[in-house]
Amino acid sequence: MAAVTLLHTKGLSRRFGGLKAVQNVDFDLKQGEIRALIGPNGAGKTTFVSLLSGRIVPSEGQVFFEGEEVTGDPAWRRVRKGIAYTFQITSVYAKLTAYENVALAAQSALSRSGAVRKKDLDRAVAEAIEKVGLSDRARMKAGELSYGHQRLLEVAMGLALRPKLLMLDEPTQGLSDAEIDNFCNLVRDIARTATILLIEHNMPVVMQLADSITVLNAGEILANGTPAEIRANPAVQAAYLGS
Amino acid sequence: MDLGPFLVLATLEGLLQAAVLTLIALGLSLVFGVMRIVNVAHGEFYMLGAVIAWFVASLLSLHPAVGFFLALVISPLLVGLVAYASERLILKRLKYDPEATIVATIGMLYVIQQVVLIGFGPDARPVEAPFYYRIRLPWFGYSAYNLFVMAAAVVLLIGCWYILTRTRLGLIMRATQFDSETAQAFGIPVDKVYGYVFAAGAMLAAVAAVLIVPIRQAHYLMGLDPLLLSFIVVIIGGLGSLRGTVVAALIIGLSDGIISVFFSPTLAKMLSTLLVALVLVFKPEGLFGAKAR
Amino acid sequence: MRQHSAFKVVGLHLAVIVLFFLAQFVLPEYHHLAVTRVMILAIFALGYNLLFGYTGLLSLGHALFFAAGLYGAGLTAFHLGWSVPAAFAAGVGAGFFASLVIGVVALRTSGVAFMIVTMMFSQVAYLASLYFTTYTRGEEGLVMPEAARHFDLFGVTFSLTDPSLRYNIALLLLAVTLIVILIVVRGPMGRVLIAIRENEPRTLMLGYNTFLIKLKAFVISGTISSVAGAAYALLFAYVGSSFASIQYSIEALLFTLLGGAGTVLGPILGTFAMFYLIDIVSGFTVAYLLVTGIALIALVLFFPKGILGTIRERWMTWLP
């Protein structure tokens, strides 16, 4: 099967005052892959995914999704087109139950194809919650869940959105080793139905999961390649070790 | 009268209005700038200042000048005390949550206003000016006391400006305004600063009230108009900006004075309120203030 | 379990309506009229609560929408001689239009700026009602003409001077409002409103056009407020500037806070309690607004969830 481009950017840039957070980035993402986005602190990773998700507008450049330009679309419309984003800082609705949290995401996905029926909603929520293994905690308030469970709830919300592209921002941050293993299995599972863009610091996780890796440094793409290629790339080593 | 003298009178009225308004708005702006809260009860501190001035001046039955200057000391002190107490007892406990604070200060507005209604009654009461002298202009006589009020306001403003920019006290306040957490870390007692700033803001309104009460009478409902006008000033001038507040107060005070002479005051208020609402929506950093951080 | 709670919810709200219906047969004349007023004001508070309690938007300008209904109905009936149903429709239409226009502008702001902006727009409307005194007679107000005291519908003549009819019209409007609110807050839209209240940026990232949804809530809330205003003008035959003042916006807030923001029945309970509290206090002193002030402070300090909010938290978690 020929690889289909799901998302690509052309000359994407973002300046904050005089600071060039992202400069002239041309980026391609193939349908069905797990792509990791790595880079030293301050490389512009979070700014870059914010540009993809529409949370901030680019200074220059364009974003295309499924061949269609989405540069001018507000964040909510991109989500409806299938670009989902899970927050780096856990941002669940603390006062609502885990069920309600996921139901909000599922309702958004279902409403894309007409009126939402309660039966369908319940099924979609149960499915997403089960996938992350939180079924027995569905009635608990999200704020009362442990940190690891809150991160899983975030992922369940991302899943319930039925995204074509799921962007996970530092998903393993603050998780225990056992939780991380669990999480890797979950990501592989999700990858069967969605393309994944993973922003991650934890190198073992990246090497284990990613089909390919993009390295960002000082707002520019430094390298693209398979995990093995990236590991062997001297420029990447210099960026991480040198400065 | 010709148009010329009419304009002179309107300008003088406008300047008087602007002088008082600047002091009141400065108090509101100070509290918002440092504490990030909107004090809806601010107009009531002004009203309370005027009412206390009446009590001081009329109950002690001294010479009007002595009574007035006594009031100029006692009234702001008492108002400051009331403000300090309410800040400690109410606002501090709400942890300065913006919405809760607004609701609480609305409550304070009613409490102060209604307590004054009970203690002072529903009538407007005059306070005698400390001196009476009419300056004879070619077209009409003008009370020298009005000019005194303007001069006093200018002196007070310079004093405030000096304190805010040239003293340690001002430095502490600016540091708290800029970043309260860092200020705390550098050993500034932010909690105490909040209490004093709230009291100081109320005291500025009280001083303005004592100055104006010989011209306008003391009345339990006199707080609402200055409250809305100082909102307008603070929004146009940019929240928390001293220079913007002064410029905006001059513009609003002058234009209000002048428009009110030629047109209906209600229409003037209507248009300025509408303008300000739109400024807040489309240019929230104000027309003259520095860009909000 | 959810079926069961749905049954309880419908039962409870039905019981409240039935209670109001039965009350008219036992209430003495004074309280009969008082409860009629309470029901109309409760509609106002119900509309307010949809925006404040459920969506988390604190408006300090809802008097504007009440006044839009009041003047929309009152002025058309007084000056143009419109029939009661037509005048009522004009009032509600005015409220709808006003809330749409103001919503589009004011919802560009949030937090404190939103409160101030709504308050200022409302103040503009209040000043306008004073400025156009030729038509409104300002604070003194207008008394509805004889022609607007009765109307024909389905071949029957109804007279609004009949207290019993007024009571039941108020009750009917209250019941309809309650049903609308229940449908909104228990349906998909209510879920999103609460999500916006709890965390708006997150809701945006779940694919919801939060601006549009807030605007819908704003318009429904404003229109319901104007229903109360139009009904007030026509049932009690009087329109005046004081209904457009800031004080009226604050009353809606107070009723809602007291009963419990974000609970369906809270505003009704809050209106009822506050109305009678003020009624009693004003028997002793002219400074009855002191109660309003103390209540506001006490509520935010000690009782932020209000009566029903606290009950829901402690005992009846199924309460909508």
Side-chain angles (χ1 to χ4, degrees):
Chain A
M1 190 181 85
V4 179
T5 299
L6 181 68
L7 176 137
H8 85 113
T9 70
K10 229 164 77 181
L12 203 60
S13 301
R14 172 71 207 205
R15 289 181 298 273
F16 294 106
L19 179 80
K20 290 171 182 163
V22 169
Q23 308 187 48
N24 203 22
V25 169
D26 297 322
F27 175 82
D28 278 279
L29 195 60
K30 286 191 276 298
Q31 193 157 17
E33 70 172 326
I34 300 181
R35 172 77 65 93
L37 184 66
I38 64 170
N41 277 328
K45 293 173 304 221
T46 294
T47 306
F48 180 64
V49 285
S50 297
L51 289 169
L52 298 187
S53 70
R55 295 179 72 207
I56 53 179
V57 285
S59 311
E60 277 142 37
Q62 293 162 294
V63 182
F64 297 87
F65 187 68
E66 296 188 302
E68 190 188 328
E69 176 161 8
V70 295
T71 320
D73 283 353
W76 62 268
R77 192 172 286 146
R78 295 191 202 190
V79 177
R80 293 185 91 78
K81 285 180 175 171
I83 306 178
Y85 172 79
T86 71
F87 282 68
Q88 178 178 8
I89 300 155
T90 303
S91 167
V92 293
Y93 301 96
K95 288 187 197 157
L96 307 182
T97 61
Y99 172 93
E100 278 295 317
N101 271 275
V102 181
L104 275 160
Q107 181 176 311
S108 168
L110 289 170
S111 67
R112 280 182 238 163
S113 48
V116 181
R117 290 210 315 248
K118 180 141 177 34
K119 214 170 54 183
D120 298 336
L121 187 71
D122 277 339
R123 194 188 308 127
V125 173
E127 227 170 73
I129 286 197
E130 204 192 327
K131 214 162 194 175
V132 301
L134 285 177
S135 298
D136 49 341
R137 289 179 170 80
R139 300 272 153 216
M140 273 174 75
K141 290 230 169 87
E144 292 163 4
L145 294 172
S146 72
Y147 181 76
H149 286 147
Q150 288 190 16
R151 301 251 51 170
L152 288 174
L153 183 60
E154 276 275 351
V155 176
M157 291 164 80
L159 271 180
L161 281 172
R162 306 245 167 103
K164 293 169 185 156
L165 167 62
L166 181 59
M167 296 189 282
L168 299 164
D169 197 352
E170 306 269 0
T172 64
Q173 201 176 44
L175 296 188
S176 70
D177 288 347
E179 284 172 328
I180 288 179
D181 282 346
N182 216 340
F183 185 81
C184 289
N185 290 331
L186 180 60
V187 170
R188 276 192 208 98
D189 193 25
I190 297 169
R192 276 188 288 208
T193 53
T195 307
I196 290 180
L197 180 62
L198 184 70
I199 299 94
E200 187 55 79
H201 262 131
N202 187 328
M203 278 307 145
V205 171
V206 170
M207 293 302 167
Q208 198 188 122
L209 283 176
D211 299 319
S212 62
I213 298 176
T214 296
V215 186
L216 218 55
N217 187 34
E220 291 174 307
I221 291 188
L222 185 66
N224 270 312
T226 63
E229 286 164 7
I230 294 297
R231 214 183 324 225
N233 188 320
V236 174
Q237 285 169 357
Y240 267 92
L241 304 172
S243 50
Chain B
M1 250 193 311
D2 293 330
L3 187 65
F6 221 60
L7 254 177
V8 174
L9 180 64
T11 310
L12 284 170
E13 283 302 304
L15 280 174
L16 181 69
Q17 168 106 333
V20 178
L21 191 55
T22 314
L23 289 176
I24 307 173
L26 189 61
L28 192 71
S29 174
L30 189 68
V31 169
F32 180 84
V34 176
M35 302 169 70
R36 298 278 135 188
I37 60 168
V38 176
N39 176 17
V40 184
H42 194 64
E44 303 314 302
F45 290 134
Y46 166 81
M47 179 274 286
L48 197 59
V51 167
I52 293 175
W54 179 84
F55 273 109
V56 172
S58 62
L59 295 188
L60 297 179
S61 61
L62 300 162
H63 183 270
V66 181
F68 174 82
F69 287 104
L70 212 54
L72 204 51
V73 176
I74 294 177
S75 170
L77 279 179
L78 285 180
V79 169
L81 210 62
V82 172
Y84 184 77
S86 49
E87 198 276 344
R88 292 289 98 172
L89 291 175
I90 301 168
L91 304 185
K92 190 186 163 193
R93 291 190 188 197
L94 296 173
K95 300 192 176 69
Y96 311 105
D97 171 79
E99 294 198 351
T101 332
I102 284 208
V103 176
T105 54
I106 293 172
M108 280 156 56
L109 179 158
Y110 282 123
V111 170
I112 296 172
Q113 181 192 86
Q114 299 293 307
V115 167
V116 168
L117 173 61
I118 295 170
F120 178 77
D123 303 322
R125 301 177 192 212
V127 172
E128 228 177 302
F131 58 88
Y132 185 83
Y133 181 75
R134 280 191 92 73
I135 298 170
R136 297 171 63 135
L137 298 174
W139 321 279
F140 51 81
Y142 193 72
S143 164
Y145 179 74
N146 289 12
L147 295 178
F148 167 77
V149 171
M150 294 177 213
V154 171
V155 170
L156 281 165
L157 279 176
I158 293 173
C160 285
W161 171 81
Y162 183 81
I163 291 175
L164 283 173
T165 56
R166 295 283 187 276
T167 65
R168 197 178 138 67
L169 200 66
L171 184 69
I172 288 176
M173 286 211 269
R174 277 180 294 138
T176 311
Q177 166 166 8
F178 192 72
D179 183 345
S180 61
E181 274 173 34
T182 313
Q184 182 98 48
F186 276 90
I188 292 175
V190 168
D191 177 63
K192 275 191 188 155
V193 171
Y194 279 7
Y196 295 146
V197 163
F198 194 76
M203 287 168 82
L204 273 170
V207 170
V210 179
L211 288 174
I212 200 73
V213 79
I215 305 170
R216 320 256 158 86
Q217 305 180 337
H219 184 246
Y220 83 106
L221 288 177
M222 72 193 285
L224 190 62
D225 267 358
L227 173 72
L228 290 168
L229 279 177
S230 36
F231 269 160
I232 292 177
V233 166
V234 172
I235 290 165
I236 298 257
L239 294 161
S241 144
L242 175 69
R243 194 185 37 195
T245 303
V246 174
V247 175
L250 271 173
I251 292 175
I252 296 290
L254 269 175
S255 56
D256 198 65
I258 292 172
I259 293 173
S260 300
V261 169
F262 292 103
F263 304 97
S264 139
T266 312
L267 185 65
K269 267 191 239 165
M270 232 168 94
L271 293 179
S272 56
T273 312
L274 188 62
L275 171 79
V276 161
L278 295 174
V279 166
L280 194 51
V281 172
F282 295 103
K283 207 166 179 313
E285 70 273 17
L287 293 181
F288 308 105
K291 206 164 169 69
R293 281 197 325 118
Chain C
M1 179 205 147
R2 289 183 71 82
Q3 298 295 326
H4 188 56
S5 92
F7 184 73
K8 275 200 281 193
V9 167
V10 172
L12 176 69
H13 293 83
L14 210 61
V16 170
I17 297 299
V18 170
L19 196 69
F20 270 112
F21 180 76
L22 293 177
Q24 65 180 307
F25 302 111
V26 293
L27 284 173
E29 199 183 319
Y30 175 78
H31 293 285
H32 190 276
L33 180 64
V35 172
T36 311
R37 275 182 211 275
V38 166
M39 286 191 287
I40 295 296
L41 292 176
I43 295 172
F44 183 28
L46 281 169
Y48 185 81
N49 184 37
L50 185 70
L51 196 65
F52 170 53
Y54 285 93
T55 322
L57 290 168
L58 203 165
S59 151
L60 288 178
H62 257 49
L64 188 154
F65 307 120
F66 187 87
L70 189 88
Y71 278 112
L75 293 179
T76 48
F78 188 91
H79 292 292
L80 306 177
W82 286 18
S83 71
V84 171
F88 182 76
V92 178
F96 173 82
F97 188 69
S99 51
L100 185 65
V101 172
I102 300 219
V104 166
V105 178
L107 285 171
R108 292 174 57 110
T109 64
S110 61
V112 170
F114 180 79
M115 301 181 217
I116 307 281
V117 165
T118 48
M119 183 177 88
M120 295 222 144
F121 278 129
S122 177
Q123 186 67 11
V124 172
Y126 170 67
L127 291 169
S129 76
L130 294 179
Y131 182 70
F132 295 103
T133 185
T134 333
Y135 304 103
T136 65
R137 291 215 204 113
E139 297 279 2
E140 180 198 334
L142 302 169
V143 174
M144 289 297 107
E146 192 46 44
R149 300 305 290 142
H150 48 78
F151 61 98
D152 298 310
L153 207 62
F154 314 119
V156 187
T157 300
F158 295 93
S159 168
L160 290 173
T161 50
D162 173 13
S164 166
L165 178 70
R166 286 196 303 220
Y167 188 98
N168 286 298
I169 288 178
L171 178 59
L172 180 71
L173 291 172
L174 179 67
V176 171
T177 308
L178 201 54
I179 291 168
V180 169
I181 299 269
L182 267 179
I183 289 173
V184 170
V185 304
R186 282 179 69 80
M189 182 174 167
R191 172 175 285 133
V192 185
L193 294 185
I194 291 171
I196 290 174
R197 179 187 76 195
E198 296 296 322
N199 187 344
E200 187 177 344
R202 186 70 180 104
T203 310
L204 199 65
M205 292 311 291
L206 287 178
Y208 293 104
N209 182 352
T210 53
F211 179 82
L212 193 67
I213 296 163
K214 286 193 291 184
L215 183 61
K216 273 188 200 164
F218 196 94
V219 171
I220 297 175
S221 169
T223 308
I224 290 176
S225 304
S226 72
V227 166
Y232 202 101
L234 296 167
L235 292 186
F236 304 116
Y238 169 79
V239 301
S241 285
S242 63
F243 292 106
S245 66
I246 291 177
Q247 163 119 27
Y248 249 71
S249 299
I250 289 165
E251 266 175 30
L253 167 68
L254 178 59
F255 295 160
T256 306
L257 269 178
L258 177 62
T263 65
V264 172
L265 291 173
I268 302 180
L269 186 64
T271 310
F272 196 87
M274 208 60 221
F275 185 93
Y276 271 96
L277 190 59
I278 286 181
D279 196 52
I280 293 166
V281 173
S282 52
F284 296 104
T285 170
V286 285
Y288 61 89
L289 282 171
L290 187 59
V291 182
T292 303
I294 293 172
L296 281 171
I297 295 173
L299 280 168
V300 284
L301 268 184
F302 308 114
F303 215 35
K305 294 202 162 74
I307 301 172
L308 276 189
T310 308
I311 289 177
R312 172 165 69 186
E313 197 176 57
R314 303 243 170 104
W315 300 289
M316 296 160 75
T317 47
W318 50 271
L319 216 60

